[in-house]
Amino acid sequence: MMESKRSAARLRLLACAAFGAIAAAAVPGVAHAQAADAALTAQHDFNLPAQSLSRSITQVASISGLQVLYSDDMANDAQAPAIKGRMSAQDALTRLLAGSGFALRYTSDKVVTLVKVPVGNGTDGEVVTGVVSVEGIGGGSPYFGGAGQAAGVNGVNGSRDITATEGTGSFTSGALTIGSKVPQALKDVPQSISVLTAELMAQKDVTDFNSAMAQLPGATLAQGSTQLENKFYSRGFEITNIEVDGGAPLSTSFTFYPQIDMSQYDHAELLRGADGLLSGYGNPSGTINLVRKKPLDHSQFSLEAQAGSWDTYRLVLDATSPLALDGALRGRVVATYQSNHYFYDTAKDNKNLLYGVLDFDASPTTLITVGGSYTDQHSVPWYVGLPRYQNGESLGLPRSTSFVFPWNRWTFSTTEMFAGIEQKLGGDWVLKAKATRNDQSTTQKVGYASGAVNPTNNVGAVLYTQYTDTHSKQLSLEGTVSGSLQLFGQRQEVTIGANWVDTDGTGLTIYGDPTPTYFNPYQPYPGGPVFCQDYGAGVCPEGSIPGNPPIDVFNFNSADPIYTEPANPLPRYRYTAYGQIQSGAYINLRLTAFDRLHLTTGVRWSQYKYNFAQDLLCTSIPATDDPSSPDCYGLQIGDVYDRTLQKNKTNDFTWPPPVNLSFDVTHSLTVYGGYTHIYLPQANYLDSKLKPIDPITGSNIEAGVKWSARGGRLNISLAAYRIEQKGYPAYDGDFDYNTGEFIASDGTHYPDYGNLGEGRSCCFKADPEQTYRSQGLDFEVAGEIRRGLQFIGSYTFDETKQIGTSFYPQDRGQPFTSIQPKHLYKIWLSYDFAAAGYPKLAGLTLSGGVNGQSSAYRSGSVCVNFTGTPDPVSGYQNCKSYDKPDFITYAFTVPSYAVLSGRIDYRLSANWSLAINLDNILDKTYYQSVGSVSSGNWYGTPRSFTATLRGKW
């Protein structure tokens, strides 16, 4: 009795905030909260430095109005992290206590007690760690992201999306939906996954999809046709699956250009390897999932203004607030403006974005989301980059050089509409349905330089032009039912779903060459030179210059009148059908046995439909039925003189099913291994019986270990993988050029060289002697190393090989994706002095890192010894021979490089901060991507800076 009084005397009464009752089921005798006071759910502004736990509780107490009881010897020595932002008292305390070894016992209205969590075996044989899971009001189960929410690394800023990383200040997350369709901790997904959080995007100045992909671990960038286009590779294969909010994957094919601004997204998730069960056919590269910003349960307004190198200006306004019905209706609007030039001449870009989203709690268990965005973008693009010398050597031009014409243009108009409903069914069962409609129209008119440069006279590059209109529509539908049940004394998780994606590029129009030098003379301005190339047909006027207008790569002048903008040409090809429909249904199971052993498997049915129809249009009418244009004789300009049709359809069940086993060595350490089947249909290729050949098949084998440390605030993973694909198409027979037939291996003769019409041809077989193999490992560390010190570092080793007798001897054993380096590393370190406990430097955050890779290359064949006199216009010169040593294979190399970057961020006040980003600090000159002797060579960005002023209220 006296001991009880002495203990009571040591109890200090403090006011503290809590959003709901904390259920500490792992602590004997700790009762679950039964009710919640208004003080628990009220929102407050917090800005607490890293300090002792007792001091943080005291300061939270002065803001909210609850009482917390604890003894003097309990919290004085414990340390608490810094917290900043508007949140409920529950969220504030959750973040303060996560990983501290303490929990809160609900005592009565407005009163909670701080208690020590025993580490080790608790009652009922349950192992208890210092990580406290939040339960009670708002969920907080350690499953489906609850543990990460308790650790303060996801879902803490008032969004109904538990995977949201806004406001966490973390480099990692405790809940991602990629690879499972439901929120799961990174360590619980038995595949290699990464996240680019809101904090990382802010620190690394990620503003668009290209820069986001460039920062994600394991992703390699290869420059596309313009500065607005890039291809990304993972594990040797191109990444083509893009999900939004975990929905059915959109396609980057069929003229859809993902000009995505990241201001409308909270974070990005990347799964490396095959995801055939949930995303359709098993592309072994990976899947990217972009997660939209959602409305918050409190008012928040933020402003971000940027100015940087090469006249880069950017403004982002982001506002969210409850709108009506006591907060049941919430909204968010993001408006973005950006204007920028590039480090090379003339090219520029201008973009406007408006994004809006509404959340409506139709009932306590029903959430409805609707929204949309509109992007208007106008660019002056540089098309296809730099050429090289004919012998493959670099031209050595300054990095500011570009072959861009002022009349180049590429406009985008992109509209996206989306809607979703989330219905809780009881327990943790949830029904979700979502739809996204994307419409994009573009017009592109460009002039560009292409052609290898002769080293003897520096000529060879000439002007080419193209003009296209595109129209792309995508409709994505996804529905899932997910939850858990108790079976055989264990928790079993189930996801049942179906998705459907209609991708339609109908309306694509390709126009004739604006500079038609083939058989048609081209005069850039009245009285100017005439360019024409008839290859001896005798249709070019006397005195005309053969070929296209030349470009002097060393003295380029885009204002030269021979580069005057040509008139818009007539349409030459029109696609009246151009698209695909992918649909499927799946069951995904995460089955648990023996407490720690988990089996993840499932089955999927998939259907693929492809439809293609192309009209060839007359652009001129010959006076007679002459060989130069025989098909348009007797027709009118714009008439269809030929049509190509193609349709195919496939159905399949995923078999064998994917199988992944994981074992929880400890509460925070998991090892796993698994197999995913790869299946890529080849319905376009027919065998001698006119049946589709067998699909490309293969396997994705992966094993790894994942460790979640510091209460979930640090995640470490290591994975080894091996991918094989085989069964690529090969001709099954020979061409008879005397009769114009294709003779199949079974003796069947097909006229017109096997052209069967409707886009089909014969005859092929799935070649078993043509295998592509990729193997390597991924390593990543992401999160809080210690108070105030955040780190993300990744290393990827990938080796690709061509294996089989079908390859030429010189290609066997060589990489099939040589532009992807074997070694890739990305490191970023950030130190917040206030969070680390240095009040004199409060407000200062220093960050820095390096992105680097080993060498990569593109290969081909090139002449190095020439004979005769080069053509004075085109620079063409005959190769001495087409054998070694005159004609050799080349490898245009991207040498290994490391690009160093840094950032200084200072909080000017409670609402304002100023940051300076400096990229490529050492001003490294390097090729970011290489192509051929004719084009496709791009320098990496020189040293640059960006100043960012941020305000938040």
Side-chain angles (χ1 to χ4, degrees), residues 114-387:
L114 191 65
V115 296
K116 183 72 174 178
V117 177
V119 180
N121 287 332
T123 60
D124 301 325
E126 184 174 359
V127 177
V128 180
T129 71
V131 180
V132 180
S133 298
V134 184
E135 296 180 346
I137 296 173
S141 162
Y143 305 104
F144 298 137
Q149 187 179 39
V153 293
N154 59 270
V156 301
N157 198 39
S159 171
R160 283 289 295 271
D161 181 2
I162 196 174
T163 71
T165 63
E166 178 184 6
T168 65
S170 177
F171 285 6
T172 190
S173 178
L176 303 181
T177 58
I178 198 164
S180 61
K181 294 294 183 181
V182 295
Q184 293 278 13
L186 276 71
K187 75 177 188 66
D188 291 335
V189 179
Q191 287 184 272
S192 185
I193 58 175
S194 299
V195 59
L196 186 67
T197 65
E199 179 67 17
L200 271 171
M201 288 196 291
Q203 288 205 17
K204 304 188 83 169
D205 191 28
V206 170
T207 59
D208 58 18
F209 181 71
N210 289 338
S211 57
M213 290 297 297
Q215 298 301 334
L216 279 164
T220 300
L221 178 150
Q223 185 72 48
S225 297
T226 72
Q227 77 271 17
L228 302 177
E229 302 170 85
N230 287 290
K231 293 183 178 182
F232 297 94
Y233 294 89
S234 170
R235 300 187 173 182
F237 300 90
E238 184 181 355
I239 299 173
T240 58
N241 282 346
I242 301 177
E243 297 179 355
V244 180
D245 281 346
L250 301 176
S251 173
T252 56
S253 303
F254 304 99
T255 72
F256 174 68
Y257 299 94
Q259 297 300 302
I260 297 170
D261 192 283
M262 295 302 292
S263 60
Q264 59 188 315
Y265 296 101
D266 176 87
H267 66 275
E269 305 168 355
L270 174 64
L271 180 148
R272 289 175 292 275
D275 187 25
L277 181 63
L278 302 177
S279 297
Y281 295 98
N283 186 329
S285 61
T287 301
I288 181 77
N289 181 37
L290 302 175
V291 181
R292 299 184 182 100
K293 290 180 177 178
K294 304 299 192 305
L296 305 182
D297 61 6
H298 59 275
S299 296
Q300 176 180 292
F301 177 78
S302 65
L303 175 151
E304 179 182 291
Q306 289 186 327
S309 300
W310 310 297
D311 296 325
T312 297
Y313 302 100
R314 180 177 170 88
L315 180 65
V316 179
L317 303 177
D318 185 341
T320 180
S321 178
L323 300 177
L325 304 174
D326 296 326
L329 179 64
R330 303 171 297 280
R332 188 164 193 165
V333 175
V334 177
T336 303
Y337 166 79
Q338 179 170 316
S339 176
N340 62 276
H341 289 71
Y342 295 86
F343 65 88
Y344 38 80
D345 299 333
T346 311
K348 60 182 179 180
D349 193 33
N350 184 281
K351 176 171 54 179
N352 295 278
L353 163 72
L354 183 63
Y355 166 77
V357 58
L358 293 171
D359 271 358
F360 175 52
D361 295 326
S363 76
T365 60
T366 307
L367 173 65
I368 298 174
T369 300
V370 295
S373 68
Y374 175 75
T375 303
D376 180 58
Q377 188 168 346
H378 298 263
S379 301
V380 177
W382 181 13
Y383 198 77
V384 304
L386 296 168

Side-chain angles (χ1 to χ4, degrees), residues 735-861:
F735 292 98
D736 188 331
Y737 296 100
N738 295 320
T739 63
E741 296 176 319
F742 184 85
I743 304 175
S745 60
D746 63 0
T748 306
H749 289 237
Y750 290 94
D752 195 15
Y753 297 107
N755 183 4
L756 304 175
E758 297 187 354
R760 302 178 304 160
S761 58
C762 177
C763 300
F764 297 89
K765 63 179 178 180
D767 189 352
E769 296 299 327
Q770 188 174 343
T771 298
Y772 293 97
R773 176 184 296 168
S774 173
Q775 58 188 11
L777 60 87
D778 293 310
F779 176 68
E780 182 181 3
V781 179
E784 184 184 70
I785 301 295
R786 54 175 296 181
R787 301 292 188 191
L789 180 62
Q790 294 255 37
F791 176 82
I792 182 167
S794 65
Y795 167 74
T796 300
F797 169 78
D798 184 78
E799 183 180 55
T800 66
K801 286 185 178 182
Q802 301 173 106
I803 301 172
T805 57
S806 293
F807 294 106
Y808 292 116
Q810 64 268 26
D811 293 331
R812 295 172 194 165
Q814 297 301 307
F816 61 83
T817 309
S818 59
I819 197 62
Q820 178 175 285
K822 277 189 177 182
H823 306 277
L824 176 70
Y825 55 92
K826 303 177 183 181
I827 299 171
W828 188 259
L829 188 71
S830 179
Y831 195 71
D832 186 330
F833 285 88
Y838 294 94
K840 293 183 179 180
L841 295 174
L844 179 63
T845 301
L846 298 179
S847 308
V850 60
N851 283 11
Q853 65 172 60
S854 61
S855 62
Y857 67 93
R858 292 191 191 272
S859 59
S861 300

Side-chain angles (χ1 to χ4, degrees), residues 40 64 86 111 122 164 173 188 226 279-280 287 332 429 444 452 471 480 496 589 649 672 712 722 783 875 893 938:
L40 301 175
S64 59
R86 186 170 180 83
V111 179
S173 178
D188 291 335
T226 72
S279 297
T287 301
R332 188 164 193 165
W429 283 88
Q444 182 190 82
H471 304 276
T480 60
I496 303 171
L589 305 172
K649 174 181 176 182
Y672 70 91
R722 181 184 178 105
T893 302
W938 300 83

Side-chain angles (χ1 to χ4, degrees), residues 69 81 135 204 208 250 481 509 513 597 653 712 871:
L69 302 174
E135 296 180 346
K204 304 188 83 169
D208 58 18
L250 301 176
V481 176
T509 303
D513 192 340
L597 184 64
F653 279 94
D871 185 282

Side-chain angles (χ1 to χ4, degrees), residues 599-875:
L599 169 66
T600 303
T601 187
V603 65
R604 178 185 178 91
W605 171 82
S606 298
Q607 184 180 82
Y608 172 86
K609 296 180 180 179
Y610 175 75
N611 188 17
F612 171 82
Q614 179 193 68
D615 288 346
L616 280 67
L617 310 176
C618 292
T619 57
S620 63
I621 306 301
T624 60
D625 192 2
D626 65 69
S628 65
S629 185
D631 297 308
C632 288
Y633 180 71
L635 300 177
Q636 299 296 316
I637 290 177
D639 285 351
V640 177
Y641 72 86
D642 196 9
R643 175 168 293 165
T644 301
L645 304 173
Q646 184 176 347
K647 289 184 178 182
N648 57 62
K649 174 181 176 182
T650 61
N651 295 276
D652 74 278
F653 279 94
T654 301
W655 196 264
V659 176
N660 293 279
L661 281 173
S662 59
F663 180 74
D664 299 329
V665 180
T666 69
H667 178 80
S668 57
L669 180 66
T670 298
V671 296
Y672 70 91
Y675 166 91
T676 301
H677 185 61
I678 296 170
Y679 179 99
L680 299 173
Q682 301 189 97
N684 292 348
Y685 298 94
L686 305 181
D687 62 18
S688 60
K689 305 300 182 185
L690 303 186
K691 301 293 184 182
I693 67 174
D694 293 336
I696 296 171
T697 58
S699 60
N700 184 124
I701 300 172
E702 181 175 326
V705 57
K706 295 187 178 185
W707 182 38
S708 180
R710 298 184 61 80
R713 297 191 297 275
L714 177 66
N715 284 287
I716 301 174
S717 63
L718 174 65
Y721 60 87
R722 181 184 178 105
I723 300 169
E724 286 194 353
Q725 286 192 162
K726 61 183 179 180
Y728 286 83
Y731 279 110
D732 185 26
D734 295 295
F735 292 98
D736 188 331
Y737 296 100
N738 295 320
T739 63
E741 296 176 319
F742 184 85
I743 304 175
S745 60
D746 63 0
T748 306
H749 289 237
Y750 290 94
D752 195 15
Y753 297 107
N755 183 4
L756 304 175
E758 297 187 354
R760 302 178 304 160
S761 58
C762 177
C763 300
F764 297 89
K765 63 179 178 180
D767 189 352
E769 296 299 327
Q770 188 174 343
T771 298
Y772 293 97
R773 176 184 296 168
S774 173
Q775 58 188 11
L777 60 87
D778 293 310
F779 176 68
E780 182 181 3
V781 179
E784 184 184 70
I785 301 295
R786 54 175 296 181
R787 301 292 188 191
L789 180 62
Q790 294 255 37
F791 176 82
I792 182 167
S794 65
Y795 167 74
T796 300
F797 169 78
D798 184 78
E799 183 180 55
T800 66
K801 286 185 178 182
Q802 301 173 106
I803 301 172
T805 57
S806 293
F807 294 106
Y808 292 116
Q810 64 268 26
D811 293 331
R812 295 172 194 165
Q814 297 301 307
F816 61 83
T817 309
S818 59
I819 197 62
Q820 178 175 285
K822 277 189 177 182
H823 306 277
L824 176 70
Y825 55 92
K826 303 177 183 181
I827 299 171
W828 188 259
L829 188 71
S830 179
Y831 195 71
D832 186 330
F833 285 88
Y838 294 94
K840 293 183 179 180
L841 295 174
L844 179 63
T845 301
L846 298 179
S847 308
V850 60
N851 283 11
Q853 65 172 60
S854 61
S855 62
Y857 67 93
R858 292 191 191 272
S859 59
S861 300
V862 65
C863 182
V864 293
N865 292 317
F866 300 91
T867 186
T869 303
D871 185 282
V873 176
S874 67

